[in-house]
Amino acid sequence: MNFYIQQSIVINNFRVGSLANSCVLQIGSAGIIKPSSHLYNTGGFTEPAPEPLKPEEIETDYLHVPSVPLAPPAGGGGTL
C-alpha cells in the first residue's frame, strides 16, 4: 500500500534541549528511517582520555566558585 503525503511545514521557533545517542528527531513524514551512526575524532586526539578521578581525589574548593563569570540579569541593576 502506498501513501502519498503532501505537507507544508512552517517553523517560526524551534528549540531542542538535548539529543542523546539513538534519538530520532523527525519533522514531517518519512517512509523509512534508516539508522546511522558515525564516530568522528574532531579534536584530533591521539591518546585515550585520562582515567576519571576518584571522589576522594577531587578538590571541593572549586565547587563554590562559578566556572563562568555571571552577568546580572538584563534590565536589572543587580550586583554579584
Side-chain angles (χ1 to χ4, degrees):
M1 175 183 294
N2 293 329
F3 290 101
Y4 296 95
I5 300 173
Q6 183 175 353
Q7 291 181 315
S8 175
I9 299 174
V10 177
I11 300 172
N12 292 323
N13 188 0
F14 186 75
R15 180 180 298 185
V16 176
S18 67
L19 287 176
N21 292 343
S22 302
C23 283
V24 174
L25 174 63
Q26 177 179 334
I27 299 172
S29 298
I32 298 173
I33 298 176
K34 295 181 181 179
S36 177
S37 179
H38 304 281
L39 180 61
Y40 297 105
N41 182 8
T42 58
F45 298 102
T46 58
E47 299 176 5
E51 291 294 321
L53 296 175
K54 297 177 182 170
E56 59 270 7
E57 298 173 339
I58 298 174
E59 295 180 23
T60 56
D61 291 339
Y62 71 90
L63 295 176
H64 303 291
V65 178
S67 57
V68 176
L70 302 176
T79 58
L80 292 176

